[in-house]
Amino acid sequence: MLQSSEYSFLYKIVGRYLAEGYAVIYAAEPDPRRILAGMSKAGIDVERYIKNGTLQIDLRDSIYIRDNNERFLADQTLEAWGNAVSRILKGNKVKGVLTIGSADIFIKNGEQEQVIEFEQGAGKKFHALTEVLCCYDPDVFSNTSVSALITILNAHEYTVHEDATYSEWRDDKLHSVLISAFNKVLGSTTSELVLKTLKSVYKVDEKVIIANPSILEDTVGKFFGDSSSAILAAVIKSIKTNIAFRQQSPCVIAS
């Protein structure tokens, strides 16, 4: 996850991929002038790469398709991205294609189910030579369910961080997230007992939650009752901290 002020990091990735013989399709921002200026400032010969067909800059609104009522259309958007990838592969001799986009505006608009459909379909739709980098502002997940956020993360292999580290998203990372969240709300001693109870009584652990994200909300609701909302809010906050572009502890989502 990264905020708009951190997009300059993406330009460095774009420059590196272009220099190494890949094509890039960039549709993460709405302002083309800002994109061109930012990429040029990052040392990218934008004119050269656009002219030879290996850099394609699309307006975010032109490739993320909406209907007449401004609702996000996942299938049509997948088709638009797929066509763009096919064209660039057909027209250029490249090692592969890096696509960079952002659907966070639709999360903000409450269309998380459509975004999930899009994210889950992207890995199946795109060519094997395609790397997909998805950018989300962490603030858009403030009112998102835990299960929806985990499901979106499950559609990707890695989270990407400031020092260009790719951190694999898997059950051990979720374990750290849950420990941190439960510790803050319950204290370390109680949280350890709760996690053991979830595993022994409810048969719920990190692997089960990864496979079926909604089970965490259901089980926490049964276990904590009226206090469950505070627990789930802490889990959301812990996930956002863990996958943030800039992290306090050493350590964008990619597939």
Side-chain angles (χ1 to χ4, degrees), residues 9-46:
F9 169 78
L10 295 177
Y11 305 149
K12 295 176 183 177
I13 293 180
V14 170
R16 187 175 76 239
Y17 270 76
L18 289 169
E20 292 177 359
Y22 291 82
V24 176
I25 302 174
Y26 189 93
E29 299 176 77
D31 187 348
R33 289 176 297 181
R34 174 175 172 165
I35 297 169
L36 292 171
M39 288 188 178
S40 297
K41 187 176 180 179
I44 300 171
D45 189 342
V46 175

Side-chain angles (χ1 to χ4, degrees), residues 75-128:
D75 287 343
Q76 288 87 334
T77 298
L78 283 168
E79 184 176 357
W81 273 106
N83 290 339
V85 169
S86 296
R87 285 194 300 269
I88 211 164
L89 283 172
K90 187 178 295 185
N92 300 276
K93 292 182 178 180
V94 293
K95 293 180 180 179
V97 181
L98 171 66
T99 69
I100 303 179
S102 176
D104 60 3
I105 184 64
F106 305 112
I107 294 286
K108 186 177 181 179
N109 292 343
E111 299 180 273
Q112 61 187 35
E113 294 303 322
Q114 291 87 343
V115 173
I116 288 171
E117 181 184 347
F118 168 76
E119 293 285 18
Q120 291 178 328
K124 302 172 184 177
K125 176 84 174 179
F126 295 158
H127 193 280

Side-chain angles (χ1 to χ4, degrees), residues 152-242:
I152 290 173
L153 286 165
N154 286 348
H156 301 82
E157 293 183 59
Y158 304 95
T159 57
V160 186
H161 304 281
E162 184 177 16
D163 57 357
T165 297
Y166 278 54
S167 179
E168 189 173 2
W169 170 253
R170 56 188 185 186
D171 56 291
D172 60 344
K173 179 175 280 193
L174 180 59
H175 180 73
S176 299
V177 163
L178 294 178
I179 288 177
S180 175
F182 285 12
N183 281 351
K184 287 178 181 177
V185 179
L186 305 171
S188 58
T189 302
T190 304
S191 68
E192 185 176 343
L193 290 172
V194 168
L195 288 170
K196 287 181 178 179
T197 303
L198 291 179
K199 187 172 184 178
S200 61
V201 177
Y202 293 95
K203 309 303 179 186
V204 172
D205 60 13
E206 294 78 16
K207 292 183 185 296
V208 172
I209 295 168
I210 289 286
N212 181 14
S214 63
I215 201 168
L216 176 61
E217 293 166 332
D218 294 340
T219 307
V220 168
K222 293 175 183 176
F223 194 90
F224 291 101
D226 293 340
S227 300
S228 62
S229 58
I231 300 290
L232 294 173
V235 172
I236 283 279
K237 186 175 181 179
S238 184
I239 292 176
K240 288 165 59 177
T241 299
N242 193 278

